[in-house]
Structure formats: C-alpha cells, structure tokens
Amino acid sequence: MGPGPVASRQSGNGWRKAALAITLLTLAACSTPGPGPGDPGPDGLPPPIPLNGPIAYRCSDGTQLMVEATGSQARVAIIGGPSMVLPNAGDQYYSNGRYAFRGGGDAAQWEVGRAAPVNCRGS
C-alpha cells in the first residue's frame, strides 16, 4: 500500500521548498555586490571623503567613530560605545569637556578625558 494523500502532499511540499531554496541560493551567488566603504573605485583610487554627512573614522588606538560635523556641533557615535553631540569649541574643534573631536575630512584627532589625543583616518 502506497503513501496516502496527506503523505504525498507533504513530500511534494518538501521538494518545492528545496527547489525554491536552491534557486534562491543560486541567484544570491550570482549577484555582484557593490563597492563597500573604503573599497577602491574603478580607477583604483579610494573613493573621496564626503563633504557633508557622516564620515567613518578609524583611530590609531582601534577606536572606530562615525562623525557628522556641522558648524555648531559634531554628532559622534563610537562604534560599540556611546553616542553624543559635541558643541563647537573652536575652529574644527568639538568638545563636551570629556570627549573631544578635532579636524574632519580624511584626518582628525579623538580625545577622551585627559588621555593624549589619538590620530584618526576618515574613510
């Protein structure tokens, strides 16, 4: 005696699900991802640092920041840590007394408390 109608319907659904999963995996493998942050452009040069909007920074001590500086403040997000708004405390210098960010574009410095500032590269 063969499988009943319920068993054959269930095995048919299993094959359909497997075929769908294989098709989706095949399509995903064929897709070409776009360039990632910091990847070289078509001419082999790194992409330009944006003139506005957030900039990603990697500091010499391993700290990673996302910074969006305007004339009056800098919004800083420490990757894996707190986020804050630092008021403008001078020419391209933003500080709330504990944290400070100086510079912008492709080169900056990050300060925490009384520790010596660390150099950061934008990307």
Side-chain angles (χ1 to χ4, degrees):
M1 187 174 217
V6 172
S8 63
R9 226 179 303 132
Q10 287 175 346
S11 65
N13 284 338
W15 282 107
R16 283 188 208 120
K17 288 178 184 177
L20 178 61
I22 291 169
T23 302
L24 291 175
L25 288 172
T26 302
L27 290 173
C30 293
S31 68
T32 304
D39 287 346
D43 55 2
L45 299 173
I49 301 294
L51 298 176
N52 55 24
I55 298 174
Y57 289 93
R58 184 176 302 269
C59 302
S60 60
D61 68 350
T63 302
Q64 296 179 47
L65 308 169
M66 286 298 293
V67 179
E68 183 171 12
T70 65
S72 63
Q73 65 185 15
R75 295 179 180 275
V76 179
I78 302 170
I79 307 303
S83 297
M84 65 208 70
V85 175
L86 304 176
N88 189 330
D91 186 33
Q92 290 190 318
Y93 182 69
Y94 305 88
S95 177
N96 64 3
R98 169 141 172 76
Y99 296 98
F101 179 81
R102 180 185 309 272
D106 63 349
Q109 289 186 325
W110 176 244
E111 301 173 33
V112 178
R114 296 182 181 260
V118 293
N119 293 321
C120 305
R121 302 294 300 164
S123 63

